[in-house]
Amino acid sequence: MNLKKLPVHLHHIGSHFTNGLFPVASVLLVMYFVTGDREMEAAAFYCALFGTLAIPLTYLSGGYDWRTRFQGRRTAIFTHKLIFGVLFFLLAAGAIALRVADPEAVAVGGGIGIAYASAVWLATGCATYLGHLGSKFI
Amino acid sequence: MPDRNRIKDLKAKIEALIIAIPRELEAYEYYMEMAERYEDESSREMFIFLAKQELSHRDVLEKILNDLERALAEATI
């Protein structure tokens, strides 16, 4: 592997982690609400957790890629990537924080459960949009 | 009064070129890697020819990009 291209590859790897795991977390949460099966909820949490853990790698490698390949130029697509990237991280980290703080409250439902599920679903929307933007560079 | 549609159009074109230019350079690097991989002269020559084509594409795109950026600067005055 050409090491000069490693940050670009890292960005692709990291973004595929998040873009793959968050939709699965969203679907598993829907299945949990439909079936009431706690294993679905736990699986959704771990998908969201590993997806969130991949975000810092994706940000750093993406920032490096932007500064080197694109000379840090500011255009609409990079601005959108930055804004939705930050929003995605806030939603994902917020969802994880809620679930870690009180797993039972999330599992039972109510306000915290709705906030958690909403954050995961909105984060999935952000990840999808970011993936759409990323596809323009391929 | 700046023409908003023209500015929007110029920005979209500039963005397309900013995305396209690194691709030309990557294609150049790819063909050069391929040229190094082959020992027979005809293959090496072919890949070096293709690599040079990519570099000339990049030069053309950079020239167009400079022209568009100049046009954008004038349009925003």
Side-chain angles (χ1 to χ4, degrees), chain A residues 59-121:
Chain A
Y59 271 18
L60 292 174
S61 54
Y64 179 84
D65 191 26
W66 172 61
R67 278 174 42 190
T68 52
R69 270 170 86 206
F70 303 101
Q71 289 94 46
R73 286 175 180 268
R74 284 183 172 268
T75 70
I77 195 165
F78 295 115
T79 306
H80 279 217
K81 275 175 83 77
L82 185 68
I83 291 168
F84 280 87
V86 170
L87 185 60
F88 175 46
F89 180 68
L90 292 175
L91 287 165
I96 297 302
L98 281 175
R99 174 60 166 71
V100 169
D102 195 349
E104 282 307 308
V106 167
V108 169
I112 294 176
I114 290 167
Y116 168 71
S118 301
V120 171
W121 289 328

Side-chain angles (χ1 to χ4, degrees), chain A residues 10-21:
Chain A
L10 285 177
H11 186 65
H12 294 166
I13 293 164
S15 56
H16 281 92
F17 253 84
T18 54
N19 285 19
L21 288 169

Side-chain angles (χ1 to χ4, degrees), chain A residues 2 69-70 73 75-77 136-138, chain B residues 15 18-19 22-23 26 29 33 65 69:
Chain A
N2 184 345
R69 270 170 86 206
F70 303 101
R73 286 175 180 268
T75 70
I77 195 165
K136 295 184 179 189
F137 294 89
I138 296 166
Chain B
E15 185 170 85
I18 286 170
I19 292 170
R23 287 185 188 171
E26 283 153 20
E29 287 169 359
E33 277 175 29
L65 177 62
E69 284 182 328

Side-chain angles (χ1 to χ4, degrees), chain B residues 38-56:
Chain B
Y38 284 90
E39 288 184 5
D40 68 288
E41 201 54 36
S42 64
S43 299
R44 283 173 56 85
E45 276 177 14
M46 179 188 75
F47 283 118
I48 289 169
F49 168 78
L50 292 171
K52 284 179 180 172
Q53 289 285 308
E54 300 303 335
L55 270 193
S56 69

Side-chain angles (χ1 to χ4, degrees), chain B residues 24-36:
Chain B
E24 301 291 351
L25 205 55
E26 283 153 20
Y28 163 79
E29 287 169 359
Y30 174 72
Y31 286 133
M32 289 305 284
E33 277 175 29
M34 294 300 286
E36 283 172 21

Side-chain angles (χ1 to χ4, degrees), chain A residues 14 17-18 21-22 45-59 88-89 92-93 96:
Chain A
F17 253 84
T18 54
L21 288 169
F22 267 88
F45 167 67
Y46 284 109
C47 283
L49 176 66
F50 285 107
T52 305
L53 289 175
I55 294 175
L57 169 77
T58 313
Y59 271 18
F88 175 46
F89 180 68
I96 297 302

